[in-house]
Amino acid sequence: MEKIKCECGHVNPLGTVLCEACGKPIEGNQHIDGNENKKLLNMRYEGSARRSKTYTSSFIDKIWTFFSSVKVGVWLIVIALIASALGTIYPQEQYIPAEAISRDPAVFYEATYGTTGKLYYQLGFHDLYGSWWYMILLALIGVSLVICSLDRFIPLYRALKKQRAKRHETFIRRQRYFSETEQVSEDEITKVKNRLRKQRYKISEENGHILAEKGRFSRWGPYVNHIGLIIILIAALLRQTPLLFLDEYVWVREGQQTVIPGTKGEYYIENKEFILEIYDESDGEIYKDALEMQGEAVAKNYQTNAIIYKKKEESVVGAEPELEVIKEAEIKMNNPLKFDGYTLYQAGYQLDEFDTMSFKVHQTDDTDKESLGTFTVDLTKPDQTYELDNGLRVQIDQYYPDYELDKGEPRSKTKFPRNPAFVFLIYPPEENKPEVSFVGIGRNIDPTNENQYKLGIADFSMRDVSGLTVRKDYTLPLFIIGAAIFMIGVIQGMYWQHRRVWIHPKGKNVLLAAHTNKNWHGLKQNIEKAITDTKINLVEDQQELEEEVKKKGGKS
Amino acid sequence: MSLLEISSTMLYTAFILYLIATGFFGATIKSKKQKRGISEKIGITLTIIGFIAQLVYFITRWMASGHAPVSNMFEFVTAFGMAMVLAFIILYFIYRLTVLGLFALPVAMIVIAYASMFPSDVAPLVPSLQSNWLGIHVTTVALSIGILSISFVAGLIYLIKFVDQSNRSKRTTWLEIILFTLFVFIGFSVISVIFNFIDYEAKFQYIDGTNEVETVYEMPAIVGPHDGTALTEDAMKPWFEAPGWMLGKDAGRKFNTLIWSFITGLVIYLLCRLIARKRIGAALQPLMKKVNLDLVDEISYRAVAIGFPLFTLGGLIFAAIWAQIAWDRFWGWDPKEVWALITWFFYAAFLHLRLSRGWHGEKSAWLSIVGFAIIMFNLVGVNLLLAGLHSYA
């Protein structure tokens, strides 16, 4: 048997609990919604035939049934909730502070938090939200969303589409809100009908039977918001692909022009100026107390004045590219720069980095330090050798942009010229044996103590460096669409209710029943308003009556 | 009078009005009349006037500071209290339940009192906060958690009426714990006022990351900062030090305040129990005689139904939009973000359990309390225990 024919003539799909058209309980299927031995009918899905409750034998059926369960869905949410909370116990990898003992997670967690920190790292909780099992958890939630929605939406849609105004008496009597009134006149029924219409109920009639309905669209709310969530999950998946998502970082010095990474050499940026402003008295009396309490400078603005160039198409490969200005802008925090699908964010800065350094050479024993020649080193790209006017040749043997002594060994802490130091080889005119000299800020060492020439820092220039994030994210519109659909769905489902009132004449008597998916008090108020000055009795809450018989507050 | 002075006067006025209004709502409980009494009318009128006063506080402070007054803990928590009052007013006019006011207003006052313990100076905005999204994101969040809090208040009323107090049980114990927590918040306000009055001060120095920082304790140090040294000579010596795993800014001082609040709350609680000679839950139960459990359950759910979409909008969507503009990513797994997600997960589970699995009444009431606990953890706990981008105060 594939279909079930109801006595009203409607043919229902297999597994139907309540006839889609008239609502008559279908014998043999009442256990599905737990209607046996109960006065009230389970109306959650209108007694429609759901796949998960109908087909349960094959392997696929079992998987479908598993994921279509709200219980499973809630468990998945709860597990995700607990897992997310675990990830906040210690900072995630990306939030290890700059001043930490080590930024290497293998060292940081144990050194900072001891054994629990070590365990945290070993369990992979330092990157919990990027871990495979967290991803799988979210994916399972996604699967649950899809299956839950399909399992319920299709039959529910059918049932509400096929419902008729004339319902079976059993259906009416087994609603939560129900009343029976004897000897009701036609006029009174018309009065109630019109009052319901006035309250914006849609009325449909069939042989004197009346169905008043409003807000049916709110029943679709859950499915709409689930679609939104699925779109968001898909967007998150797509974001993993480099095709749609780009995340780069570029340091650019004041006055420098550099290619923007991730743009395939197509775009260049020039940093005209970096500006750091802090709050002071001129910002008004009102901030005085707060600034005093803070005790340190409070930043007011981070800004890079930048020019964006695009490579001209006819540029020859290998040659210096020809550039044209496409944009000139101030990039500030909260005010990123957008061009051709890319976005640049003010993300970091380095103040007072060395730009150039000039050196002067003189005779070691010359007390007047009379210059024998000078040269200037560009600290970002120093030359190998410098020929001086008087025939001296200076060669850079070692260059430490950010000099420090590590256990007696000189090294460069970073590759940025923050504390430059050099080992110079000085070749006197027409000689092949050089003198060695070590020069840095506040350092001038002659390892042999026999040098004829001495090098000294004559001058230097400094500049700031801007750190900018380069982003291209084609998944953003998808996230926005997903979020918008979610919001529409959730508002549709939460702020409206699906209310129905049935008027069922039975001889001279009238049966009145009503159902809503939520906010029963509101429904009762609607009915109260509709039946004033008529003989018709107000509906009784049969669930309340049932419960009062069953138990009395809290004793269990 | 300067704008700022008007502003703080108005906040004070609002607080007093809420206090008086609570008294009038209390008076309605005992009245036998079914019709709406005069004290109920006075109660709701005073609440509305109080809310307007607080609105004036908000607007004048906005005008004075030049930015939406939701930029630090004082301002945000005050706005949260205000949102709670607004949510109560709205739900009052839908359901006309006075007992809601008797509980919602004191909870809102506790929240506002808590806010006033943070520095209330007008602070300039750091670059990351200089955006219109500050006002949009934070006020929506405040409004949504204000509404969600009413769900907690209704849930609490439900449980006070519902839980059988004739014998001690798991239920009565948990209910007492919840009520005791409210006493801790009251204890916080009381002890802060006391030490403020006697002008207590003790300075400490400790290492925060690599920086040496100074902190001023306004309560005697039961717990000192982690690896800290006392700078004030004649002050009380700390009994022990804050553990190193408390990562929030100035965690030692905050933990110390928590301990003092706990002690004071306990003292007040014990005094109340001594006077009542029974559990606080049992003492409150008779006030609930007229309460219709179904209606309270409905309010508790309705508050979530209204608050959840708003929270999604303010706490996740607006938050993500702003994060994308300011921090170049819309989601970064910062602790505050994660806890907003956890709050969202929780209320999503709550709604599924209620709508699909029929968790009404008592179960739903307990859930609404857990939800509020999560919100409060995100407000108080995350700043105390966890380091992150949002720890502005």
Side-chain angles (χ1 to χ4, degrees), chain B residues 21 23-29 31 36-44 98:
Chain B
F24 279 97
F25 282 125
T28 64
I29 296 298
S31 81
R36 231 154 273 140
I38 183 81
S39 54
E40 181 177 343
K41 277 182 191 155
I42 297 174
I44 189 67
T98 47

Side-chain angles (χ1 to χ4, degrees), chain A residues 375-419:
Chain A
F375 63 98
T376 301
V377 179
D378 180 345
L379 293 169
T380 46
K381 37 179 181 199
D383 292 338
Q384 274 252 294
T385 50
Y386 296 85
E387 305 278 350
L388 303 192
D389 298 342
N390 64 344
L392 273 171
R393 195 155 58 87
V394 179
Q395 190 183 331
I396 296 177
D397 183 47
Q398 293 288 338
Y399 169 42
Y400 308 101
D402 193 1
Y403 170 80
E404 68 167 6
L405 264 183
D406 183 35
K407 296 178 190 113
E409 289 291 316
R411 63 166 201 156
S412 188
K413 203 156 52 172
T414 65
K415 59 183 184 176
F416 306 112
R418 290 171 192 163
N419 182 21

Side-chain angles (χ1 to χ4, degrees), chain A residues 44 279 300 471 495 518 544, chain B residues 125 294 301 306 328 356:
Chain A
R44 189 158 296 137
Y279 285 101
K300 183 178 172 184
R471 279 285 164 101
Y495 292 0
K518 53 181 160 296
E544 216 167 83
Chain B
L125 294 181
D294 255 4
Y301 161 67
I306 300 170
D328 70 45
S356 281

Side-chain angles (χ1 to χ4, degrees), chain A residues 174-360:
Chain A
R174 290 177 72 182
Q175 291 300 314
R176 179 171 164 182
Y177 276 2
F178 173 75
S179 77
E180 186 167 6
T181 317
E182 290 174 359
Q183 304 286 338
V184 182
S185 68
E186 290 271 327
D187 285 354
E188 282 180 310
I189 293 178
T190 316
K191 216 178 202 176
V192 174
K193 187 175 78 184
N194 289 335
R195 287 211 189 108
L196 283 170
R197 188 176 278 139
K198 226 176 226 167
Q199 295 183 62
R200 276 176 285 141
Y201 279 83
K202 264 192 214 141
I203 309 286
S204 45
E205 286 178 79
E206 186 183 355
N207 300 335
H209 295 258
I210 295 166
L211 162 65
E213 182 180 20
K214 76 171 171 187
R216 190 199 289 183
F217 79 102
S218 89
R219 288 295 277 274
W220 317 132
Y223 311 107
V224 173
N225 81 45
H226 286 178
I227 290 171
L229 290 177
I230 291 161
I231 292 175
I232 289 172
L233 286 174
I234 291 172
L237 205 67
L238 290 177
R239 206 164 181 267
Q240 309 292 328
T241 64
L243 202 65
L244 295 175
F245 177 67
L246 168 89
D247 177 15
E248 295 277 356
Y249 198 91
V250 59
W251 284 106
V252 51
R253 299 178 171 79
E254 279 178 327
Q256 199 191 35
Q257 189 187 61
T258 183
V259 65
I260 301 174
T263 62
K264 301 187 191 84
E266 210 182 329
Y267 295 93
Y268 285 72
I269 180 170
E270 183 186 330
N271 182 353
K272 274 169 50 187
E273 190 185 6
F274 173 78
I275 299 166
L276 167 69
E277 287 173 279
I278 55 171
Y279 285 101
D280 56 33
E281 295 91 35
S282 66
D283 293 300
E285 187 68 13
I286 194 152
Y287 298 144
K288 214 181 115 201
D289 292 343
L291 287 175
E292 250 166 39
M293 217 185 72
Q294 193 67 28
E296 55 192 52
V298 177
K300 183 178 172 184
N301 185 23
Y302 306 119
Q303 176 179 334
T304 303
N305 293 346
I307 305 172
I308 306 295
Y309 300 91
K310 190 180 180 183
K311 197 162 81 177
K312 278 190 184 161
E313 275 171 29
E314 58 268 28
S315 297
V316 187
V317 181
E320 272 291 294
E322 263 186 82
L323 301 175
E324 59 179 339
V325 176
I326 57 164
K327 213 153 199 177
E328 197 166 345
E330 296 174 347
I331 308 173
K332 298 180 197 174
M333 206 154 187
N334 272 310
N335 188 17
L337 167 65
K338 287 182 187 157
F339 64 93
D340 298 356
Y342 296 96
T343 314
L344 290 180
Y345 295 89
Q346 177 63 51
Y349 64 92
Q350 172 74 49
L351 291 183
D352 301 333
E353 192 181 278
F354 287 92
D355 178 13
T356 60
M357 216 169 232
S358 315
F359 298 90
K360 185 174 88 172

Side-chain angles (χ1 to χ4, degrees), chain A residues 44 77 84 88 94-95 99 129 279 286-287 290 299-300 334 345 469 471 486-487 495 518-519 544 554 556, chain B residues 64-65 125 127-128 130 162 171 294 298 301 305-306 309 312 322 324 326 328-329 332-333 339 345 355-356 386:
Chain A
R44 189 158 296 137
I77 294 175
S84 307
T88 61
Q94 70 268 32
Y95 289 119
E99 70 270 13
Y129 308 110
Y279 285 101
I286 194 152
Y287 298 144
K300 183 178 172 184
N334 272 310
Y345 295 89
T469 329
R471 279 285 164 101
F486 176 81
M487 278 316 294
Y495 292 0
K518 53 181 160 296
N519 188 7
E544 216 167 83
S556 58
Chain B
S65 68
L125 294 181
S128 61
Q130 291 166 13
F162 181 82
R171 285 187 169 87
D294 255 4
E298 169 90 26
Y301 161 67
I306 300 170
T312 314
W322 188 16
Q324 178 72 32
D328 70 45
R329 84 290 183 291
W333 301 107
W339 278 92
F345 273 149
L355 295 173
S356 281
L386 312 169

Side-chain angles (χ1 to χ4, degrees), chain B residues 297-320:
Chain B
D297 179 52
E298 169 90 26
I299 294 173
S300 177
Y301 161 67
R302 199 72 189 283
V304 176
I306 300 170
F308 178 74
L310 257 181
F311 182 79
T312 314
L313 192 67
L316 297 175
I317 297 177
F318 288 164

Side-chain angles (χ1 to χ4, degrees), chain A residues 362-365 428 431 435 446 450-454:
Chain A
H362 60 88
Q363 298 275 357
T364 309
D365 49 14
E431 254 194 71
E435 291 179 11
D446 170 5
E450 291 167 2
N451 282 355
Q452 190 189 341
Y453 300 100
K454 193 169 178 175

